[in-house]
Amino acid sequence: MQTTELGRTGEQVSKLSLGAMLMGTRTDEQTAFRMLDRYLDSGGSFVDTADCYAWWPAPGNTGGESETVLGRWLAARGNRDRVFLSTKGSAWVSDPDRYRGRPERPDYAGAGADTLRKALDDSLTRLGTDHVDLYYVHVDDRATPLEETLAALTGLVQAGKVRHIGWSNVRTWRLERILGLCDRHGWQAPVALQQQHSYLRPAPGARYLSIVDDEQLDHLRANPSVSLVAYSPILKGIYDDPAKRDGHPAMGDYAGPDAEARLARLTTMAGDLGVTPNQLVLAWLLHQTDPAPITLVGPRTPDQLDTALGALDIKLTDEQRTLLDG
């Protein structure tokens, strides 16, 4: 397992991060423990969750299930010092039944100072730890002044409850404003940007709120103090299955001639290499250097985790990378 520096913090984290979103709901606790053990045994260290994970899979799920399972695992294994632990606040949903199975955007808790302080304390209780290594604003909150949010996050770092902060699902102009305010006031600046990023490129006219586009990549190249954490790298597994891609919501922001050309090139090369297209996408991301993302996978089963870990063994030549990029 290769590591990479988180921003310019000096902190080394594994380039392949394990997302625990469905642990405690669609992935039962015993299976989750097996997967977490397997990930650490492979050399991984970076485990990602959020306070709202996961209220949507089934009636009775409320959020907090993932953190609770992780807390039990950390206690059972006594391995907190081996894990770079990240969680998120601001996207808690107080009435999950109102939104479960519906397309509208939920009424998130937001990033107010009191809200974040309580959300973090609740997360720490579920996780059974006195601090997290990385704490994200999960969903950018434009209704709350950034000054309030950033001052509160800085206070959480000063209190020793958070080591680093990050932001997720945010547009580039907002990230630049955040960085400017932090520089001006001496507040804790984000060192991680968690966005959706994959081999397919967003189509013209797509909604770019949560998806990395060319402008955001350019911004990250100019600001190496912020690391890209790429979530949904295999877009719910659509690369392996043409039938699954047809009409899948994950394709909505990508569909078009560019995607068709990329899928054809990817499928051919995966066949030549004897790997799956999903694995090749992960390998492609792990080979990126400008910027160098941290690739976040969220497997539901041990087999899915093993498939993702298999991407670590795929070594792409410069020629193969050029073919994929082109």
Side-chain angles (χ1 to χ4, degrees), residues 169-189:
N169 301 302
V170 62
R171 292 190 185 272
T172 305
W173 68 266
R174 286 277 289 178
L175 177 61
E176 177 61 21
R177 185 169 295 179
I178 290 163
L179 293 172
L181 285 169
C182 290
D183 183 63
R184 188 179 313 152
H185 296 282
W187 288 327
Q188 196 79 16

Side-chain angles (χ1 to χ4, degrees), residues 132-202:
V132 292
D133 299 293
L134 177 60
Y135 192 58
Y136 291 96
V137 173
H138 195 169
V139 177
D140 191 31
D141 174 14
R142 298 191 192 180
T144 300
L146 282 171
E147 291 85 351
E148 177 183 343
T149 300
L150 290 165
L153 290 169
T154 299
L156 295 175
V157 174
Q158 292 170 343
K161 296 180 179 182
V162 172
R163 294 181 59 222
H164 307 288
I165 70 164
W167 229 270
S168 183
N169 301 302
V170 62
R171 292 190 185 272
T172 305
W173 68 266
R174 286 277 289 178
L175 177 61
E176 177 61 21
R177 185 169 295 179
I178 290 163
L179 293 172
L181 285 169
C182 290
D183 183 63
R184 188 179 313 152
H185 296 282
W187 288 327
Q188 196 79 16
V191 299
L193 172 68
Q194 190 173 130
Q195 298 280 92
Q196 184 170 306
H197 185 49
S198 187
Y199 174 63
L200 296 185
R201 298 182 293 192

Side-chain angles (χ1 to χ4, degrees), residues 2-7 9-15 45-46 84:
Q2 290 183 317
T3 62
T4 189
E5 185 179 7
L6 183 70
T9 65
E11 187 91 50
Q12 290 290 315
V13 297
S14 46
K15 290 189 72 172
S45 61
F46 190 172
F84 186 88

Side-chain angles (χ1 to χ4, degrees), residues 217-282:
L217 287 172
D218 188 54
H219 187 274
L220 289 165
R221 293 184 189 106
N223 291 277
S225 60
V226 182
S227 287
L228 172 62
V229 180
Y231 76 78
S232 290
I234 57 174
L235 301 177
K236 303 185 183 300
I238 55 94
Y239 290 101
D240 279 359
D241 187 351
K244 186 175 183 179
R245 286 198 293 272
D246 187 22
H248 196 290
M251 283 295 296
D253 286 319
Y254 298 96
D258 183 78
E260 292 171 8
R262 286 191 158 229
L263 287 165
R265 178 66 54 83
L266 181 81
T267 302
T268 298
M269 187 178 294
D272 292 342
L273 293 173
V275 301
T276 71
N278 282 337
Q279 287 179 315
L280 185 53
V281 168
L282 295 176

Side-chain angles (χ1 to χ4, degrees), residues 42 57 79 93 98 130 154 192 230 257 268 300:
S42 74
N79 59 3
V93 175
R98 177 182 173 188
D130 62 357
T154 299
T268 298
R300 184 176 53 83

